[in-house]
Amino acid sequence: MTIFSLYIYDRHCACVYYQDWHRTKRPKPAVEGGILNAVSRAVAPQAADTSAANSSAFSSPRNTLSSNTGFVVAIGDDSSSSSTPAQAAVDGPRSNALPFDEEAKLVYGVILTLRNMVKKLSGRDEQFTSYRTSAYKLHLYETISGYKFVMLSDPSTDGLRFVLRQIYNGPFVDYVVRNPLVTMDSREQGIDNDYFRASVDRLIRGLSVFA
Amino acid sequence: MASRSSLHMNPGSGSALALLADPPTRLIDGAAMDYFLIEAVNALRASSAVAAARAQKIEQEMAEAGLVPPPPPAKPQNHRDSVGSTTARSTTLVDEEDEGVRSRLEAIGLHVGGNFAERLCRDRPTFGDSLDAIKFVCKELWVSCWDKQVDNLRTNHRGVYVLQDNAFKPVVRISSWEGRAEALKRAKLYVALPAGIIRGALARMGLHGTVIPEITSLPHCTFQIKLPKNS
């Protein structure tokens, strides 16, 4: 029972935050201009000199799961995703994982489509909350202000909407909404900052479902 | 007549008197205050930029008309280390803008602090000396504004007091994507209003001095108060 990753999208359909705990394949850095510039240090686009590579205080390649049970990032079927020669130099053998910005858009597309489908099928009062596959379970919590909290966990977890609501009421309101340095609702900046990341980390690691 | 007028008093007047004698403390939502301060800083930044641009335009017009000598050229460009000079110039520009915002925030704080001190000092006897006034600031003012007391007070008994707060409320949530150093730099602006509040409160009580806020590491904040010697 464990938690894989967390994405936060704002009402402009852009990914504004990303954090992960367990992942089989490391997220591939986004292309330049693909994602907003304050989403996550681990997936920020690389500069021309890839000295920073993927190392940051926040990305920990802890991989306690065997590769056939962990959540595998969406696999692109061709290698057109490896864009710059610098990134290829970092990755070594060509991986066919999607760069992070495409992965984020994919996740967003999935939840948007499912949400609309549920609303069309059952009426405006029903809400799409989660879906489960053999490898992972995706939980969605959407706020009235348009922020979507998406969490991926292993398939046997019960319901993490409560946890997502806790993240919203706790760290999000404290360190994003009440933080003078974070512009909410901006189209060119994400919401990543030290305190928010640390408090979300603390909250998730303190959960009983976290391995 | 007195008894008849007492018969005419409505039954609620007893509680009205009690309310007048001991009014309940009025509280304000902390989150609303935070949001207001955020917007205030942004609005003041825009307004001070407009004011600075206007002053510069007037200066330029007067210089062109020959009424004043032309303004001195901005930092002489040293072509040998152009990188250094451009960064120096950009930091002075940013500091000047920030200085405009900071002085406006402090002016607002002066008025707020003075009026707030009026209400807080309602039934209090006058202070014996400036140390008592500072202790009042540390305890009453801090509690009313920021929900806790000052953590440490030091003085050299010659008019200089240092107030230390280990988790100062206006800056306890400041955190930036670019890291601690950037957050520290930007936090300096957000302590200007509290510094003004302290200075205004002291001024209203008759102690005219200066208050200098300092942040060495978030959320730890110190205020250095210098009061004139004769009090």
Side-chain angles (χ1 to χ4, degrees), chain A residues 3-32:
Chain A
I3 299 202
F4 298 153
S5 55
L6 167 75
Y7 300 72
I8 301 183
Y9 296 89
D10 67 354
R11 71 185 180 99
H12 301 297
C13 314
C15 181
V16 289
Y17 185 75
Y18 169 73
Q19 189 168 1
D20 62 24
W21 290 272
H22 296 293
R23 239 182 109 131
T24 40
K25 291 210 163 92
R26 302 306 314 147
K28 210 163 138 184
V31 298
E32 197 65 48

Side-chain angles (χ1 to χ4, degrees), chain B residues 58-136:
Chain B
I58 295 181
E59 250 185 43
Q60 228 173 5
E61 283 175 8
M62 287 178 53
E64 279 165 18
L67 293 171
V68 293
K75 291 239 160 53
Q77 294 285 344
N78 194 352
H79 292 287
R80 258 165 294 151
D81 53 346
S82 54
V83 173
S85 65
T86 47
T87 51
R89 197 157 58 121
S90 62
T91 47
T92 47
L93 274 177
V94 163
D95 286 341
E96 279 168 21
E97 289 170 15
D98 269 4
E99 186 54 39
V101 186
R102 214 195 49 80
S103 57
R104 281 171 171 75
L105 281 170
E106 194 167 340
I108 293 179
L110 276 173
H111 290 120
V112 169
N115 294 333
F116 207 54
E118 291 273 8
R119 285 187 73 224
L120 286 177
C121 295
R122 224 167 52 101
D123 289 319
R124 196 173 294 282
T126 47
F127 296 116
D129 62 349
S130 56
L131 185 61
D132 285 339
I134 297 284
K135 283 205 269 204
F136 163 79

Side-chain angles (χ1 to χ4, degrees), chain A residues 7-207:
Chain A
Y7 300 72
I8 301 183
Y9 296 89
D10 67 354
R11 71 185 180 99
H12 301 297
C13 314
C15 181
V16 289
Y17 185 75
Y18 169 73
Q19 189 168 1
D20 62 24
W21 290 272
H22 296 293
R23 239 182 109 131
T24 40
K25 291 210 163 92
R26 302 306 314 147
K28 210 163 138 184
V31 298
E32 197 65 48
I35 61 172
L36 308 176
N37 63 349
V39 172
S40 165
R41 290 226 179 265
V43 301
Q46 302 294 313
D49 52 341
T50 55
S51 51
N54 254 339
S55 64
S56 87
F58 304 118
S59 69
S60 53
R62 198 177 307 121
N63 182 8
T64 58
L65 309 166
S66 56
S67 57
N68 57 351
T69 56
F71 170 59
V72 174
V73 176
I75 303 279
D77 53 351
D78 63 312
S79 49
S80 60
S81 53
S82 60
S83 44
T84 66
Q87 281 182 351
V90 168
D91 285 325
R94 206 175 265 178
S95 68
N96 46 9
L98 291 179
F100 180 74
D101 57 332
E102 303 204 8
E103 174 192 322
K105 282 189 221 161
L106 193 73
V107 174
Y108 185 74
V110 165
I111 63 171
L112 195 70
T113 322
L114 285 171
R115 200 174 63 111
N116 292 346
M117 201 151 46
V118 163
K119 283 206 156 64
K120 284 212 173 79
L121 280 176
S122 342
R124 314 194 80 229
D125 292 333
E126 285 216 7
Q127 289 174 1
F128 163 64
T129 57
S130 62
Y131 77 80
R132 197 172 70 147
T133 74
S134 54
Y136 67 94
K137 188 169 182 184
L138 178 146
H139 312 257
L140 167 71
Y141 174 66
E142 183 174 355
T143 71
I144 302 180
S145 52
Y147 277 90
K148 300 169 190 61
F149 293 75
V150 176
M151 181 165 280
L152 275 72
S153 66
D154 75 320
S156 56
T157 318
D158 278 334
L160 286 189
R161 259 175 73 93
F162 170 62
V163 171
L164 289 173
R165 226 183 83 167
Q166 266 188 323
I167 294 182
Y168 176 59
N169 282 331
F172 189 79
V173 164
D174 276 341
Y175 297 117
V176 174
V177 181
R178 289 175 81 166
N179 186 344
L181 300 183
V182 169
T183 39
M184 307 264 306
D185 221 27
S186 93
R187 285 178 185 270
E188 61 258 345
Q189 184 90 348
I191 60 174
D192 189 13
N193 60 59
D194 276 353
Y195 287 2
F196 181 53
R197 194 164 280 269
S199 66
V200 166
D201 200 43
R202 219 172 341 165
L203 197 142
I204 296 289
R205 282 180 205 278
L207 289 176

